Structure formats: structure tokens, C-alpha cells
Amino acid sequence: MRLRALLDTDALGLRLLGGDDELDRSVRGVMTTDLRDPSRYLTGGELVLTGLAWRRDEKDSEPFVRILAGAGVAGLAAGEAELGDIPADLVEACHRHRLPLFAVNETVAFATITEHVVRQVSGERAGDLAAVVDRHRRLMTSGPAGGGPEVVLDLLGSDLDLQAWVLSPTGRQIAGAGAALPGPVGAELAGLHLAAVRSGRRAPYRATIGGVAYSLFPIRNNGRVAGPASRDVRESVLSDWLLAVEADASDWPAARLDLLQGVTQLIAVERDRRDAARTVRRRLAQEVLELVQAGAPPAEIAARLRVAAPVLLPGLGTAPHWQVVVARVDWDEQGAPGSTASGVAGGPAAQALLEEILVDPAVTGPDSADRIAVAYSGDEAVALVPLPAAAPSGDADDTADPDGAEPSGEDPALHADVLLAAVRAPLSAGLADDGRLTLGVSASVHSPEGLRGALEEARHARRVAAARPGRVCAAGHHELASHVLLLPFVPDDVRRAFTARLLDPLRDYDRRHRAELIPTLESFLDCDGSWTRCAARLHLHVNTLRYRIGRIEQLTGRDLSRLEDKLDFFLALRMS
């Protein structure tokens, strides 16, 4: 559709303030924003709607309009509800950048304009589908009649007999109508979605789980399926939501596909609202983090936390205990398939992931992270996580149960392994073969005096995690009191020489004779040198085990009855 057509629709209440010679521009979508810099959510061709909350004084208009013009948007529509008449500086900035500017009458909701553009862009090619789009305005209304993403999903079910869910990048259910999607299915769908995005396949993506077919639609922050070719997909792949529909869309007509794309755009508006609501919380977290890193006096940090308490700690009457969680996303430099960017910043992705990972997976809804404050600097994100004040300081044990179960008891502290247990598989798919997520968790502290130490503790734990193999790794503070703290800092050449001297003779022997000396050595040390327990674990006669241990000692010149030699073997196996 053309911009000119918007002026011909009286119900939209648009008044042209400038750019009458640019009205033949094509409108390919719509975006509502009050961000001062919405550039990363723009792909070009949008009609941008704004309530002008970003404008504090006349100097703000020029950079905002310059960003929109540089992104290639079709036009700007500013609401009159906040400031009354549109400021002259905004009119002048749009004139300088040849950006068409409309005033939106205060009686007209942005939802009405959004619904109209979505309907026109999708073409109204089928009567039943257009009827659904007509009713989507309820998604964006305020008050009890709104209801958020659930409303549009309910309409898909009632009007098109489509069951659908909005999922986070880790598979947590953000919204759904009817029966909830089982957690393992959501996680698997999220992993398949991330893998498809990373491979550059065209959406929607088809997936089959347990004999049930699903179609997966990306929900980008601007609601569009395809971003600009110059943008690296890794910038947003770990933070985008997805729409999972229980149906096979491979044989759908174009009209139905267009409708689903319009639905993702409407849901993306809710995503933008959620992100805007987090802006204040993120800024407060950033201020606290900067004070902690700068070594500010505890009294100053405590004062800042008291000011931030109504936002960071809604409903908590007393100062809580805190834990610090540090996460880092690292990308290889070669870039992603089909992109031209390289050196992708990991900080924003780490921030979005921490905000997601720290949400209880049993909690649904887009606003379930209200008590999570995450800031980022460079490629590192830092979360300040409040705990109930009854939690004793520093007693959090991050050791997960051997079977992967959550620790028993009432301990409210975060546990490094448990945090990543449910999200490791989908995130590994999104990280593919060129990304890594590493995470460290501190002990809990009960006062601002302990935050600096907790931050350093979490950073050390993350470095321990980074020394481990795998795409998604975590470590907790308890590991800093063991030998594993030292291993990440052993130089690579020393590591290789040490392990080769002890283990290469055994590997060569195993290769020639299939003798399994390395697995035998691992089990023997795992059993603390107990002959009977090790023999039972390996299903060997004790004499056979003694023969193998003797062969290990003969090949290496070591004595496994000596503590020093046991320790050397143990460290060599850990570093190999």
C-alpha cells in the first residue's frame, strides 16, 4: 500500500504535516516505538508510530528523525495525545530528511492504524482471514478487554481452528490459548527453530515431534520475517520469540501465510512493550553495576539500591540477599551464513539470555522477569538477583544432583547447573558451531558490602566454565575452592606437554591393543583407588584390574599407590 492511501481513510485520523511529494512511498509494515534509537528493530518500509515519549527537548528530534531516515522507513506518525500539537522542531527535522510526517488525532488509537496497515499489506485476500484481522485490535487495547498475545491466539483457534503458542528462545511458553505446550516439546521446538534460523532457511520452518506437525514463525521485534541483508543473524537469534502453530504450513495458500505474518507483527508490538518496560530496570542495574565495579563506598551502593527498590523489588518490604550471575556470549569471527557482518557484540545477547534463563521455567507470560535486573558491558552481562532475606549468606551450594534433579530442601539460592539444565539443548542449537555461552554464579551476600566480592566470584566462576568443553557451560562459586579454579589458567603449551607425558603412552597402547587403559585409569581414580569398587564398576575380575593398573604403571613409570602420582594422573585427565 502507499502512504497516500492512509490519508484517504478518515477513520485513521491522520493529518499530513510535511512530505506531500513523498506520498507514493510503499508501506510494508508498521512499528510502534518510543525508543530514542529504534534502529535495530527497523528493516525499511515501515510506518513508524510514536507517542513522543522519547522527546525531552528540541534537541532530541534531529537524531531521532535521522535514524528513521537512515533506516529507510516510509513515514512517521506522531500522536497528539501526549504533547498536543506536534513540536515544530520535529516538523523541521522531518522536512530536512524528506521524511513524511503525519499527526495522529488523540481520539485515534495506534491499534486502529496498526490493524489497518496489517490488513492492507496482507491484502484481505480471503474473507474469513480478514474477519480475524479485524478483531485483532483487541490485542493492542488497554484494560481488561485487551489480554495481550492470548487474545490473538484464541482468535486463531476459534476462527481458523489453529492451536498456537508464543515461545521464548529457550522454549518457555510466553502465551498460549487452550492447553499448555509441554515443556520438553517447547524446548525441542525452540531448538529446531534456532537451528533453522542459523542455517538460513526460509520461514516458516516445519517440525514434527511425536508424530505432530508444527510450523514455526519467527517473531522479530519489528514483526517482520526477513531482516536487512547486512545484519548478522547472530545479533538477534538468541533473543527473538517464535510462534509455534500446530499445523503443516507447507501447503497453505499465500493468503493464510500472510495472515500469520500479520499475527507475528501484532505480537511483536507486545514484545516491544515488554522491552520498553525493562528499560528502566536495565538502567538501574547498570548504575548499580558501575558503582560496584568502580569500588564505590557500600553506603553509596546501598543508597542506590534503596532508590531502585520499588522497580527492582516490587512487593518486597525488606532488603533481600543477593546473588550475582555473570554470562558471556562469544562468537567466532568468520560471520554467519548469508551475512556480511563480523565481530558480533555478545553483550546484548547475553543480557537477553540472562533475563530469560533466570525466569522460573514454570512461569508463563511476557512479564515474568520483573525482579531480574541485568546490565551488560562489552560481551559480558551481569544480573543482580534478589533472594528471600531468610537465605543465609554464602551457603548456596551450586552442586546439582547427579541425576540432574534440583537440589532438595528450601534453599532459594541459584544453582549454576540447574539454571542451564532446561535450556542447554535449544541454546546449543542457536549457538551452532561458532558461538559459546558461559555462565558463573556467586554465593549469596546479605549486604552491599559483599556485592563487589560476589561480582568477582561470579566472574571467576564463569572463567572456570569457559575452560570446559561444550557450547553452553556453567560453574558455581563452590568450585572456586577446588583444583578446577587453577586449570583454566594453565598455559596451553604446559597443559599439552603435561598430559602428553602421562597419557600418550596409554593412548598409544589402547590404540594398538584395544586395552582400555584410559577408561580403567579414570574409573580407578573415580573409585578413590578401591580395587573392589572399581572392578565391580568395570565388570572385571580384581586380578584383571590389577593387571591393567600394573600395565599403566609400567608404561608411565608411575606408582598408583602414591598420592602424588594419583594426583598427577587426575589432573592430566581433567586437562586432556
Side-chain angles (χ1 to χ4, degrees), residues 543-562:
N543 288 341
T544 304
L545 176 61
R546 290 185 184 277
Y547 171 80
R548 289 188 182 180
I549 296 299
R551 178 63 69 186
I552 291 171
E553 293 174 334
Q554 179 185 13
L555 291 170
T556 61
R558 300 298 184 104
D559 181 356
L560 277 165
S561 66
R562 298 177 68 246

Side-chain angles (χ1 to χ4, degrees), residues 194-213:
L194 290 171
V197 171
R198 290 304 312 275
S199 67
R201 287 166 47 197
R202 184 178 178 83
Y205 314 118
R206 187 182 186 279
T208 303
I209 299 177
V212 179

Side-chain angles (χ1 to χ4, degrees), residues 22 26 73 79 251 368 467 512:
E22 300 287 342
S26 296
V73 305
D251 58 351
S368 52
R512 293 197 307 270

